[in-house]
Amino acid sequence: MILQDKEKLIARINELKEERNAVILTHNYQRGEVQDIADFTGDSLGLSQQAAEHEADVIVFCGVDFMAQSAAILSPQKTVLIPEILSECPMAAMITPEELIIKKKEYPDAVVVAYVNTSAQVKAHSDICCTSANAVQVVNSLDENEVIFVPDRNLALYTARYTNKKIIPWDGYCPTHHMILPEDIMLLKNTYPDAETIVHPECRPEVIDLADNVFSTGGMVTHIKRSKSSKFIIGTEIGMLHRLKKENPDKEFYPASSCAVCPSMKMNSLSNIITALEENRYVVTIPESIREQAKKSLDRMLESGRGD
Ligand code: 13P
Ligand code: SF4
């Protein structure tokens, strides 16, 4: 994009933000130019906290469907806009409320922990939500000893390493993190033996076994700023590297796999943010009975804070 055009688009976004008292929230995997104009960039937990606390009338949510839905669940008085209606998380679509109801009947004594990467309907049938930043903390805070953990089997298995509770994992997974293979990590470790390896808990267990540290995207940001290492192998969606490089110009980053791209996260642009604000689209709406139930699970999670 020509610099002059980009500057015009940014100026228009700022004008519209003021007119509509809007705030732009973006996930760490968004395109660089989208992250650069955001009021807040963060992980799922940080974005939920911002959505719940921010004073704005309008939230433009640049992430995927379940994240914008969480904002609408937590802040019904605000207008939540998602610039691209097709930006859906495939993992969140791997469980339906009907399937969860059947599973709950199989395990009547179990509590249901729903990763925020779920629909509002699935959250409404769960007891508490978690994100990758607080999954272990949330599970260990429960009185029950049996936990149905949906929908990410990898996050469930990672959490099981740090609890004595019985974890019953759902068989969902993130197609993007699934592309990162142990061979990718080993190749980079051999090339950069002094690099620190950090991966997301959505990675396969065999990849997690090779990591020095496992963090949510927000946890990666905090840890890397403080770390004494100067080189990092990063096992997550490649959008993460934009922020890491920008905030740590003296450090070097190597993506575990350049194939690890989440197509849904890349659908937002400066242009569709402008259209969202000009045409008030696409407004995220949740039926009130589902919203109230889902909010209980999200509120319960927010009360437990960050784990990383
Ligand atoms: P974070 O909450 O760690 O940002 O993860 C969200 C996500 O969708 C990872 O794929
Ligand atoms: Fe969903 Fe994976 Fe994309 Fe995250 S990276 S939004 S889990 S598909």
Side-chain angles (χ1 to χ4, degrees), residues 27 29 44 63-67 87-92 94 115 117 152 173-178 200 202 236-237 260-265:
H27 186 263
Y29 297 158
S44 309
V64 288
D65 55 351
F66 74 82
M67 297 178 178
S87 52
E88 293 166 351
C89 168
M91 175 161 66
M94 289 180 189
Y115 190 23
N117 300 42
D152 186 10
Y173 65 97
C174 164
T176 302
H177 285 83
H178 204 64
H200 195 275
E202 284 178 17
T236 193
E237 209 274 350
V261 178
C262 173
S264 298
M265 281 282 182

Side-chain angles (χ1 to χ4, degrees), residues 21-143:
N21 188 24
V23 68
I24 299 178
L25 304 185
T26 68
H27 186 263
N28 287 320
Y29 297 158
Q30 289 289 294
R31 289 173 189 275
E33 78 252 26
V34 173
Q35 292 190 35
D36 291 345
I37 53 104
D39 295 285
F40 177 84
T41 301
D43 64 5
S44 309
L45 183 58
L47 291 166
S48 295
Q49 287 164 331
Q50 284 290 322
E53 288 161 15
H54 214 286
E55 302 269 286
D57 295 324
V58 177
I59 297 175
V60 181
F61 210 111
C62 300
V64 288
D65 55 351
F66 74 82
M67 297 178 178
Q69 285 178 6
S70 294
I73 291 166
L74 292 166
S75 299
Q77 72 289 1
K78 292 173 197 151
T79 300
V80 179
L81 300 176
I82 186 161
E84 171 51 66
I85 198 76
L86 294 174
S87 52
E88 293 166 351
C89 168
M91 175 161 66
M94 289 180 189
I95 181 167
T96 64
E98 294 77 18
E99 289 169 326
L100 179 55
I101 290 166
I102 294 171
K103 190 59 120 187
K104 281 166 75 166
K105 285 194 183 133
E106 257 179 71
Y107 296 94
D109 297 330
V111 64
V112 178
V113 175
Y115 190 23
V116 283
N117 300 42
T118 43
S119 66
Q121 287 84 345
V122 166
K123 287 184 178 76
H125 286 282
S126 304
D127 297 290
I128 184 166
C129 289
C130 74
T131 75
S132 54
N134 61 14
V136 172
Q137 179 179 320
V138 163
V139 164
N140 283 328
S141 73
L142 302 168
D143 293 332

